């Protein structure tokens, strides 16, 4: 495949020979695999991955962790100087905990990266190629030199390629050449070393097809493409933090500063209230303060957030919604409007021809789906006479003005291409028309492609039987096509089209639309061969002979009606936007419950008459729009946003990209959607199903709810630790707390114990909360206000309330385990500390169940999350080990507890459940009262 000249300079035959491929059938699968092995994947080289050891060392970069390591080192040096113990237990324990935290953080980050990588793989670009003569869609990374690309409007081009077949093809190449307008393409050789912008017979990796269609032979992949030759272009993509991540970081910083201030105050209180006579005592006070700060700041919060988002997004992917942007996950919880296409989203996108109306009558087709089986009847009888002649001619034209392929694989019939065009081929096959026979007589010369603005397409064909003429076949919206017709086909003759007959045809359109049938007009004209120039455009679309109407049905998806109902229950308004006839739109929207019976439908021409103020008024009330263009979609979503709505918008075409980008959540179709629309979208539906949008909203709400759950848990638990230590030091004397033998400071809990609590209770329970199943209630709530932060005032109040309950209960257990103090009892300090230490751990484990909601009872749906119970059991087993295993007792200064002691700790710790339940009861009562006042 060595080339002496560049592909743009070569003829098509020379390129075919150089690339050793077939211009019709493409490469064979075996040859494609061999070339993939030879040339590598069609990808740009990226920056080398960060080594695992660097990721691990990054776990120690936190200023608080560095302070703790310094304190550990100082503690070890003091032990070396004084040698008061056989081993530096405190230094070893602190370092072990820091190391375990680092290992846990590293594992969590690795898992998060793998989850995100899996997500990226799911949303990878694809390309349409012809291999072994079959059109198929493959990952763009598997395209190889010599592959035959099939290019359609909206495709992002996967590799550099030489065009071999062009039908009005235009490509946007601004990213590569700076050319602001789409470039018209052809297949003729270009002489000399022309600049990229002048290589009209080439298409380039990363550019997009904006119009027409074509075929091209791949000449360069990966780093051998023009994009690959531009250093750095597309290689580095900086991941911007989402608004949620920014808010979490802000909360962490504020909390960190607050805790450091508290730690300084606590250290100051220790220094002021207790006698510091040695370096060891000073070091112990510093270690204690730093440990308190480290324990109180949930350092794993960002990592847990990433994992929860990644796992949630993968759950969404399993429900056929791939999130391209993590920020859309949080926006989903706020969405209160979903603007959706009809075809393929609310319906099955398996068009089936039901009726054909011609000048002589109506033919009805039986059968469903794409299998070409069924009867064709006229008034209940087999088709015959002029009706048959007209229907045969009509369907012949429909087969030729067509770019789809009807295929049978493994006993299943499917369509490659547009479903509407596929339905026409299925109907033709039911009548016994053979595509190969037609194409051998009518070889296609040119095409004027369909566009959403023109609402029609035309193809030009040589007639092998009458070489002096060409045939032009057209199909499109009946009203548009009819305006370009001067005659109508009746039997074998073309008769003038009168105004009365035009009115009858339009009445038939309305009748079919009222039956929820999508209507399509078919027409033709003949032209002398000599009058067709090299450039064919829409100027040929005039003086057509009207064949008739085709009525097709795309039945609503069975699950769509339930999804619409669920969206309404969730406070989300559903708006249907379609290019179909208003009566068809009204019938489908009414059947699905989007509008009431006879509800208002606004058509595109009427939309054009509205000024901005009128449009903003209309979009508040109207939920069904018909005969709209992509520009209308953009206007609708802009008006909705100006009215304060958070809107999701679906789209699949190139021209839908502006509306998808403007919407708060752009939703592209994964099956029928163009690559351009997918690039512009925040979310891609792999099944093009409206129900998947609603499922994604449910998952999005669940993810956001779970983030609030683990934040509520982590912050309330850590604040409980801070308050316990602060008030324990400040009221040590009143509690009967005295320094133990060999201790230099009077502390309620030791630094190692604080760090252990952080290790044992933060990670596993928080992660389990992050994957808590979304409760049934989640879709019975109104959408979250966009202005509502992840932590609101009510949540902060609950966090501090729980923290205060924890501190009070823990200090109460310590007081009742010591002589003196408020309660007074027999006991020694090591036992009292173990009791308080265990109580605080158990408080946090009980608090896991509180954290699932600020309003709902902890006992509601208590057993739906098995991972939560597993995490609690794991943390409890770790605490039992640290209390009863001898070497851990030495490291953490604990002593064994009796069964009664454990019951006491559990009983006191359970108070957080009941205190919070009473608090929630008041919250529910207040909200109910407010709702009654609002209703009244």
């Amino acid at each position: 495949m060595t080339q002496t000249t560049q592909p743009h300079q070569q003829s098509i035959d020379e390129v075919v020979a150089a690339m050793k491929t077939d211009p019709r059938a493409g490469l064979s699968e075996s040859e494609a695999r061999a070339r993939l092995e030879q040339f590598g994947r069609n990808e740009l080289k990226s920056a080398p991955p960060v080594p695992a050891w660097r990721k691990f060392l990054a776990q120690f970069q936190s200023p608080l962790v560095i302070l703790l390591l310094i304190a550990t080192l100082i503690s070890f040096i003091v032990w070396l100087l004084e040698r008061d113990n056989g081993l530096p237990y405190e230094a070893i324990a602190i370092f072990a905990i820091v190391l375990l935290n680092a290992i846990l953080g590293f594992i969590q980050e690795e898992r998060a990266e793998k989850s995100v990588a899996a997500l990226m793989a799911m949303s990878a670009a694809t390309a349409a190629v012809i291999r072994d003569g079959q059109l198929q869609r493959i990952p763009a990374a598997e395209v190889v030199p010599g592959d035959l690309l099939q290019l359609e409007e909206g495709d992002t081009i996967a590799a550099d390629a030489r065009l071999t077949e062009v039908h009005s093809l235009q490509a946007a190449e601004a990213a590569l050449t700076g050319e602001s307008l789409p470039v018209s393409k052809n297949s003729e050789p270009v002489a000399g070393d022309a600049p990229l912008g002048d290589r009209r017979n080439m298409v380039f990796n990363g550019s997009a097809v904006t119009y027409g269609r074509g075929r091209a032979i791949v000449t360069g992949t990966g780093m051998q493409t023009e994009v690959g030759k531009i250093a750095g272009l597309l290689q580095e993509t900086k991941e911007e933090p989402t608004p949620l991540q920014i808010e979490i970081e802000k909360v962490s910083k504020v909390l960190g500063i607050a805790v450091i201030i508290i730690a300084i105050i606590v250290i100051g209180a220790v220094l002021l209230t207790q006698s510091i006579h040695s370096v060891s005592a000073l070091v112990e006070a510093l270690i204690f303060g730093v440990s308190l700060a480290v324990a109180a700041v949930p350092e794993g919060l960002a990592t847990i957030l990433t994992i929860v988002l990644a796992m949630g997004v993968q759950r969404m992917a399993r429900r056929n919604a791939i999130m391209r942007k993590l920020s859309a996950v949080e926006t989903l919880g706020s969405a209160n409007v979903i603007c959706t296409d009809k075809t393929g989203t609310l319906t099955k996108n398996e068009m089936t021809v039901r009726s054909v109306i011609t000048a002589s009558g109506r033919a009805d087709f039986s059968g469903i789906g794409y299998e070409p089986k069924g009867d064709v009847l006229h008034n209940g009888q087999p088709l015959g006479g002029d009706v048959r002649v007209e229907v045969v001619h009509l369907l012949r034209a429909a087969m030729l003005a067509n770019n789809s392929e009807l295929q049978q694989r493994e006993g299943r019939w499917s369509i490659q291409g547009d479903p509407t065009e596929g339905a026409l081929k299925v109907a033709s096959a039911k009548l016994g028309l053979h595509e190969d026979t037609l194409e051998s007589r009518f070889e296609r010369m040119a095409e004027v492609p369909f566009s959403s603005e023109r609402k029609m397409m035309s193809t030009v064909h040589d007639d092998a039987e009458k070489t002096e003429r060409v045939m032009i076949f057209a199909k499109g919206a009946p009203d548009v096509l009819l305006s370009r017709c001067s005659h109508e086909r009746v039997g074998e003759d073309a008769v003038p089209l009168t105004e009365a007959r035009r009115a009858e045809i339009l009445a038939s359109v309305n009748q079919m639309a009222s039956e929820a049938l999508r209507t399509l007009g078919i027409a033709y004209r003949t032209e002398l061969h000599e009058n067709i120039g090299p450039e064919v455009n829409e100027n040929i679309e005039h003086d057509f002979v009207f064949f008739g109407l085709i009525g097709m049905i795309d039945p609503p998806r069975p699950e769509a009606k339930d999804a619409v109902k669920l969206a309404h229950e969730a406070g989300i308004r559903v708006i249907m936007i379609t290019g179909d006839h208003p009566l068809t739109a009204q019938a489908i929207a009414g059947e699905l419950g989007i509008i009431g019976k006879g509800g208002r439908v606004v058509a595109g021409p009427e939309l054009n008459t509205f000024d901005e103020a009128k449009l903003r008024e209309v979009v508040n009330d109207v939920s069904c729009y018909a005969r709209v263009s992509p520009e209308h979609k953009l206007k609708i979503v802009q008006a909705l946003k100006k009215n304060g709505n958070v809107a999701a918008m679906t789209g699949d075409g190139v021209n839908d990209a502006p509306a998808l980008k403007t919407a708060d959540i752009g939703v592209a179709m994964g099956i029928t959607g163009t690559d351009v629309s997918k690039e512009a979208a925040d979310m891609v539906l792999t099944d093009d199903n409206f129900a998947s949008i609603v499922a994604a909203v449910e998952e999005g709400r669940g993810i956001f709810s779970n983030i609030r759950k683990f934040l509520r848990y982590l912050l309330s638990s850590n604040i409980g630790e801070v308050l316990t230590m602060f008030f324990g030091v400040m009221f040590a004397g009143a509690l009967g707390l005295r320094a133990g033998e060999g201790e230099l400071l009077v502390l309620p809990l030791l630094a190692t114990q604080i760090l252990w609590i952080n290790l044992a209770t933060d990670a596993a329970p928080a992660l389990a909360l992050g994957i808590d199943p979304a409760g049934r209630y989640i879709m019975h709530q109104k959408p979250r206000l966009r202005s509502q932060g992840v932590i609101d005032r009510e949540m902060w109040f609950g966090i501090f309330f729980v923290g205060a309950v924890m501190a009070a209960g823990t200090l109460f257990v310590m007081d009742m385990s010591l002589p003196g103090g408020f309660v007074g009892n027999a006991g020694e300090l090591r036992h009292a500390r173990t009791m308080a230490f265990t109580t605080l751990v158990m408080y946090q484990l009980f608090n896991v169940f509180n954290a699932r909601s600020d309003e709902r009872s902890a006992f509601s749906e208590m057993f739906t999350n098995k991972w939560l119970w597993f995490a609690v059991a794991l943390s409890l087993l770790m605490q039992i080990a640290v209390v009863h295993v001898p070497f851990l007792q030495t490291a953490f200064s604990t002593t064994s507890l009796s069964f009664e002691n454990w019951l006491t700790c559990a009983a006191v710790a359970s108070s957080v459940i009941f205190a919070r339940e009473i608090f929630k009861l008041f919250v529910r009562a207040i909200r109910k009262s407010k709702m009654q006042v609002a209703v009244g």
Side-chain angles (χ1 to χ4, degrees):
M1 286 180 283
T2 302
Q3 300 172 19
T4 56
T5 56
Q6 295 189 61
H8 71 271
Q9 299 171 320
Q10 298 174 320
S11 68
I12 293 173
D13 290 340
E14 288 173 327
V15 173
V16 168
M19 303 310 297
K20 297 180 181 177
T21 189
D22 187 312
R24 292 291 176 190
L27 298 173
S28 66
E29 282 292 350
S30 58
E31 177 63 19
R33 285 195 295 272
R35 293 190 186 189
L36 186 63
E37 189 72 26
Q38 178 184 356
F39 294 101
R41 291 172 67 80
N42 178 31
E43 296 171 331
L44 298 178
K45 289 182 181 176
S46 56
V50 179
W53 65 268
R54 288 184 62 182
K55 292 180 186 176
F56 181 70
L57 289 181
Q59 305 299 319
F60 299 93
Q61 289 180 352
S62 164
L64 292 175
V65 173
I66 291 171
L67 276 174
L68 198 57
L69 290 172
I70 292 171
T72 306
L73 179 62
I74 294 171
S75 175
F76 180 72
I77 292 170
V78 171
W79 172 82
L80 283 176
L81 295 174
E82 298 185 356
R83 297 292 181 117
D84 52 349
N85 287 314
L87 288 172
Y89 291 114
E90 186 175 67
I92 291 171
I94 294 173
F95 181 74
I97 290 171
V98 171
L99 186 63
L100 280 171
N101 265 322
I103 292 170
L104 182 62
F106 173 76
I107 292 171
Q108 288 174 339
E109 284 190 15
E110 282 288 294
R111 183 170 183 179
E113 283 186 14
K114 287 177 182 177
S115 296
V116 173
L119 172 66
M120 294 293 288
M122 283 184 232
S123 60
T126 60
V129 299
I130 296 169
R131 288 183 179 172
D132 289 322
Q134 295 291 319
L135 179 65
Q136 52 185 288
R137 191 161 282 275
I138 64 171
E142 295 178 10
V143 170
V144 297
D147 256 329
L148 185 58
L149 294 179
Q150 177 80 23
L151 305 175
E152 301 283 351
E153 180 181 325
D155 287 349
T156 297
I157 298 162
D160 288 3
R162 170 67 160 84
L163 288 161
T164 62
E165 186 179 321
V166 173
H167 300 281
S168 304
L169 186 71
Q170 294 181 4
E173 299 176 348
L176 192 62
T177 66
E179 177 63 52
S180 58
L181 297 175
V183 178
S184 295
K185 296 292 183 177
N186 59 54
S187 59
E188 297 302 316
V190 177
D193 191 17
L196 293 183
D198 293 336
R199 298 180 188 180
R200 299 301 177 95
N201 59 4
M202 297 287 296
V203 288
F204 302 103
N205 180 22
S207 57
V209 179
T210 59
Y211 193 75
R213 63 187 183 87
R215 288 184 176 182
I217 295 173
V218 174
T219 57
T221 59
M223 295 304 290
Q224 299 306 310
T225 62
E226 294 299 331
V227 168
K229 295 172 185 176
I230 301 174
L233 186 64
L234 302 179
Q235 284 194 15
E236 296 180 6
T237 54
K238 186 177 180 182
E239 190 77 21
E240 294 293 331
T242 68
L244 179 61
Q245 288 170 322
I246 292 170
E247 187 173 355
I248 295 295
E249 188 177 343
K250 190 191 304 179
V251 169
S252 297
K253 285 180 179 177
V254 170
L255 187 66
I257 292 169
V259 167
I260 288 171
I261 292 171
I262 291 172
I264 291 170
I265 292 172
V266 171
I267 293 171
V270 169
L271 296 177
L272 288 174
T273 59
Q274 301 182 32
S275 300
I276 304 295
H277 299 297
S278 66
V279 175
S280 299
L282 181 60
V283 169
E284 191 172 335
L286 291 173
I287 290 175
F288 165 72
V290 173
S291 301
L292 180 62
V294 171
V297 177
E299 292 188 351
L301 193 148
T303 304
I304 292 172
L305 175 66
T306 304
I307 292 173
V308 168
L309 281 172
M311 292 177 71
V313 165
Q314 284 193 314
R315 283 200 309 274
M316 287 173 137
R318 287 194 290 272
R319 297 182 74 173
N320 303 310
I322 295 176
M323 306 304 299
R324 296 189 66 253
K325 300 173 185 175
L326 283 180
S327 56
V329 174
E330 49 201 280
T331 311
L332 276 170
S334 304
N336 64 347
V337 176
I338 299 175
C339 300
T340 175
D341 291 320
K342 176 184 74 68
T343 304
T345 309
L346 291 168
T347 60
K348 296 182 71 174
N349 201 20
E350 291 182 356
M351 298 298 295
T352 303
V353 172
R354 282 282 177 259
S355 297
V356 171
I357 297 179
T358 62
S360 301
R362 176 168 177 161
D364 295 310
F365 290 69
S366 65
I368 58 172
Y370 296 136
E371 185 175 7
K373 287 185 179 179
D375 298 321
V376 186
L377 305 174
H378 171 56
N379 294 330
Q381 300 298 318
L383 206 58
D386 283 348
V387 177
R388 181 179 178 83
V389 171
E390 293 161 5
V391 171
V392 167
H393 281 301
L394 179 148
L395 289 178
R396 184 175 67 174
M399 285 185 76
L400 291 167
N402 199 310
N403 294 317
S404 68
E405 289 185 23
L406 178 62
Q407 300 177 344
Q408 184 182 24
R409 288 183 181 175
E410 299 178 358
R412 289 190 61 188
W413 290 89
S414 64
I415 292 294
Q416 285 289 334
D418 182 72
T420 298
E421 293 189 337
L424 300 178
K425 288 198 171 180
V426 173
S428 302
K430 289 177 182 178
L431 207 54
L433 299 178
H434 298 289
E435 186 176 3
D436 293 342
T437 305
L438 283 174
E439 289 184 345
S440 64
R441 175 182 171 184
F442 297 100
E443 183 179 352
R444 184 182 293 194
M445 297 169 52
E447 175 185 341
V448 184
F450 176 87
S451 75
S452 54
E453 292 80 16
R454 299 187 323 110
K455 294 185 172 64
M456 65 176 292
M457 73 166 288
S458 302
T459 55
V460 182
H461 301 260
D462 264 324
D463 187 345
E465 294 184 2
K466 298 180 180 179
T467 55
E468 76 282 359
R469 75 174 192 180
V470 296
M471 297 292 295
I472 303 170
F473 300 110
K475 70 176 190 294
D479 51 346
V480 173
L481 193 60
L482 202 58
S483 68
R484 298 177 186 239
C485 292
S486 58
H487 290 70
E488 180 183 19
R489 185 68 177 249
V490 180
E492 294 287 0
D493 302 316
V495 301
L497 197 57
T498 65
E499 289 303 315
R501 182 63 189 137
R502 288 178 190 273
E504 287 179 10
I505 293 170
L506 292 175
S508 296
V509 171
N510 291 337
Q511 175 59 35
M512 294 177 100
S514 68
E515 299 170 23
L517 296 177
R518 179 180 177 183
T519 54
L520 195 65
I522 306 292
Y524 78 99
R525 63 179 284 254
T526 60
E527 183 61 79
L528 292 176
H529 208 293
E530 61 191 37
N531 293 336
I532 299 297
E535 290 293 328
V536 174
N537 55 42
E538 58 189 88
N539 291 333
I540 66 168
E541 296 174 332
H542 61 85
D543 293 325
F544 281 115
V545 178
F546 192 71
F547 267 134
L549 301 170
I550 297 177
M552 293 172 279
I553 189 165
D554 180 15
R557 293 178 179 267
E559 66 274 19
K561 188 170 185 178
D562 290 337
V564 169
K565 182 181 178 184
L566 183 59
H568 288 164
E569 289 174 353
I572 300 170
R573 184 172 156 225
V574 179
I575 296 176
M576 189 177 86
I577 303 175
T578 179
D580 278 349
H581 191 282
L583 288 175
T584 305
Q586 187 180 55
I588 296 293
E591 185 176 342
L592 292 172
I594 294 173
I595 60 175
K597 189 175 181 180
R600 184 183 177 189
V601 178
V602 172
E606 187 180 358
L607 273 174
N608 290 331
T609 66
F610 297 156
D611 58 19
E612 183 181 326
K614 178 64 175 176
L615 182 59
R616 288 181 61 178
E617 179 187 331
V618 167
V619 296
N620 277 336
D621 301 318
V622 176
S623 295
C624 185
Y625 299 86
R627 281 286 187 262
V628 297
S629 67
E631 288 73 19
H632 292 136
K633 277 188 172 185
L634 180 60
K635 288 182 179 180
I636 290 169
V637 77
Q638 286 173 336
L640 286 166
K641 288 183 70 174
K642 286 177 181 176
N643 287 347
N645 295 288
V646 178
M649 171 69 78
T650 69
D652 55 11
V654 175
N655 291 340
D656 286 332
L660 294 177
K661 273 189 172 293
T662 302
D664 297 287
I665 307 161
V667 183
M669 302 298 107
I671 299 173
T672 60
T674 60
D675 289 348
V676 173
S677 66
K678 293 173 190 175
E679 285 294 321
D682 304 293
M683 183 168 80
V684 178
L685 300 183
T686 60
D687 61 351
D688 292 8
N689 192 342
F690 175 80
S692 296
I693 304 176
V694 180
V697 171
E698 184 176 2
E699 287 287 353
R701 287 188 177 188
I703 290 169
F704 192 85
S705 174
N706 288 349
I707 290 168
R708 284 172 58 90
K709 289 174 188 178
F710 75 70
L711 283 174
R712 189 182 291 119
Y713 167 70
L714 287 174
L715 296 178
S716 59
S717 296
N718 290 359
I719 284 174
E721 295 170 31
V722 171
L723 294 178
T724 297
M725 299 309 297
F726 179 74
F727 289 111
V729 169
M730 298 303 294
F731 299 107
L735 293 169
L737 187 58
R738 305 286 185 271
E741 185 179 348
E743 291 186 353
L744 304 171
L745 298 177
V746 180
L747 302 172
L749 296 175
L750 301 177
T752 51
Q753 293 171 341
I754 300 170
L755 294 172
W756 173 262
I757 294 172
N758 211 38
L759 175 70
T761 64
D762 272 12
L767 271 175
L769 282 172
I771 57 172
D772 205 32
R776 294 186 299 272
Y777 65 91
I778 202 83
M779 291 299 279
H780 295 282
Q781 297 176 339
K782 290 183 179 179
R784 178 177 61 90
L785 295 176
R786 193 74 176 272
S787 58
Q788 181 185 351
V790 65
I791 306 177
D792 54 24
R793 186 171 59 181
E794 181 180 293
M795 186 168 161
W796 274 121
F797 191 84
I799 285 168
F800 278 99
F801 174 78
V802 168
V805 171
M806 285 184 181
T810 302
L811 294 176
F812 171 74
V813 168
M814 172 161 273
D815 183 39
M816 66 183 288
S817 302
L818 289 170
F822 294 104
V823 179
N825 202 343
E828 48 92 25
L829 180 60
R830 189 171 180 129
H831 177 265
R833 274 197 182 130
T834 305
M835 290 284 288
F837 175 37
T838 302
T839 301
L840 190 51
V841 167
M842 296 188 75
Y843 256 128
Q844 299 194 12
L845 299 184
F846 278 112
N847 187 38
V848 168
F849 300 100
N850 278 331
R852 297 178 77 192
S853 174
D854 267 331
E855 182 179 344
R856 287 180 303 107
S857 169
F859 302 103
S860 171
E861 300 180 1
M862 200 172 185
F863 299 99
T864 56
N865 187 349
K866 63 180 180 180
W867 293 110
L868 191 59
W869 287 94
F870 175 79
V872 168
L874 177 64
S875 297
L876 185 59
L877 286 173
M878 290 172 69
Q879 183 62 19
I880 291 171
V882 88
V883 169
H884 291 285
V885 175
F887 81 90
L888 291 176
Q889 288 179 330
T890 304
F892 292 95
S893 301
T894 59
T895 186
S896 297
L897 298 179
S898 67
F899 182 69
E900 289 77 11
N901 291 152
W902 278 98
L903 285 179
T904 300
C905 294
V908 173
S910 67
S911 65
V912 75
I913 289 274
F914 302 107
R916 196 75 171 97
E917 285 296 297
I918 294 170
F919 185 85
K920 290 177 182 180
L921 195 63
F922 279 112
V923 170
R924 290 196 294 270
I926 291 169
R927 287 191 177 176
K928 186 176 180 181
S929 176
K930 285 181 179 178
M931 287 178 64
Q932 288 174 343
V933 170
V935 172

